Amino acid sequence: QVQLVQSGAEVKKPGASVKVSCKASGYTFTSYDISWVRQAPGQGLEWMGWISTYNGNTNYAQKFQGRVTMTTDTSTSTAYMELRNLRSDATAVYYCARGGSSGPQGFDYWGQGTLVTVSS
Amino acid sequence: QSVLTQPPSVSGAPGQRVTISCTGSSSNIGAGYDVHWYQQLPGTAPKLLIYGNSNRPSGVPDRFSGSKSGTSASLAITGLQAEDEADYYCQSYDSSLSQGVFGGGTKLTVL
């Protein structure tokens, strides 16, 4: 069965960086893009960007350009999202999801989420 | 301010029908990009409910249906059940922003 398993919760200080992993199983990793979505406490979903697992191409939301990097390791079927220069408003649950931003299939499988807390 | 506009809340009694609207513009829904809907139960990850405007993934009851017209889309839920109480989000792509976009979410309350 398809699974996306994310790394555990993180606590970071303002200005630091965080790197969240998303390990895929149950399907051919390079056949589907991976997107990242975040949700601040009590707020809605926010699309951060996506990465092609086939060739590494990326597309980041304007809000995160220059501060986010998405990568993959096809040897371990793992996607990564690194967010730099964290501010307190980066406190959120970060999700990986299978699918690209404009595909016809939507985000059909989601990771369990990783809580990132930014606090001094 | 979300690019896609949803009502903050809707409610209905068990057995009733409710609809949730998702209003966009000519650079997203109106440009022909697909609309997808997600259900998020409290404390859990979102779940794909409708993809490609009106298609249900395997396992999603046919009580849930989606439609799209012009610059808007709608999610309809018939035969409302207590377990449907959740947050619902629409999602599409915006060509002006060159990025995926979500609606602000709608909280469904089953009375």
Side-chain angles (χ1 to χ4, degrees):
Chain A
Q1 72 284 19
V2 174
Q3 279 192 305
L4 299 176
V5 179
Q6 299 183 223
S7 49
E10 303 261 14
V11 179
K12 297 292 182 181
K13 294 192 182 302
S17 299
V18 68
K19 191 170 186 177
V20 179
S21 67
C22 169
K23 183 172 177 59
S25 61
Y27 71 98
T28 301
F29 182 65
T30 51
S31 294
Y32 296 84
D33 298 334
I34 291 287
S35 292
W36 290 88
V37 176
R38 79 175 185 182
Q39 185 171 37
Q43 302 301 308
L45 302 175
E46 182 176 30
W47 185 83
M48 298 181 67
W50 68 261
I51 182 166
S52 166
T53 56
Y54 177 72
N55 58 19
N57 287 348
T58 56
N59 179 29
Y60 303 140
Q62 294 178 2
K63 175 177 180 177
F64 301 102
Q65 284 181 6
R67 291 201 303 129
V68 70
T69 301
M70 295 175 188
T71 57
T72 62
D73 181 345
T74 56
S75 69
T76 60
S77 300
T78 303
Y80 299 91
M81 185 284 298
E82 180 181 37
L83 187 61
R84 299 178 293 279
N85 192 21
L86 294 170
R87 304 185 291 254
S88 58
D89 62 359
T91 294
V93 176
Y94 290 77
Y95 294 101
C96 62
R98 192 177 80 164
S101 60
S102 60
Q105 304 299 321
F107 305 137
D108 57 357
Y109 288 91
W110 294 66
Q112 82 277 19
T114 297
L115 175 62
V116 175
T117 303
V118 182
S119 174
S120 55
Chain B
Q1 191 82 355
S2 300
V3 172
L4 304 179
T5 301
Q6 298 180 233
S9 64
V10 297
S11 62
Q16 284 189 333
R17 177 181 186 270
V18 297
T19 62
I20 299 173
S21 60
C22 175
T23 303
S25 67
S26 58
S27 61
N28 41 69
I29 298 175
Y33 292 103
D34 286 322
V35 177
H36 317 294
W37 291 90
Y38 303 88
Q39 176 192 60
Q40 187 177 33
L41 299 171
T44 68
K47 168 191 169 184
L48 181 65
L49 203 60
I50 297 288
Y51 69 93
N53 307 313
S54 59
N55 303 291
R56 282 186 310 277
S58 173
V60 173
D62 59 6
R63 301 187 296 106
F64 296 90
S65 63
S67 63
K68 172 186 160 182
S69 178
T71 59
S72 294
S74 289
L75 172 71
I77 309 172
T78 59
L80 209 54
Q81 299 180 4
E83 66 204 49
D84 298 334
E85 192 161 283
D87 293 324
Y88 293 83
Y89 295 89
C90 60
Q91 179 255 318
S92 186
Y93 179 84
D94 190 282
S95 58
S96 294
L97 299 172
S98 296
Q99 65 182 59
V101 288
F102 282 97
T106 299
K107 182 174 181 59
L108 169 62
T109 300
V110 181
L111 302 170

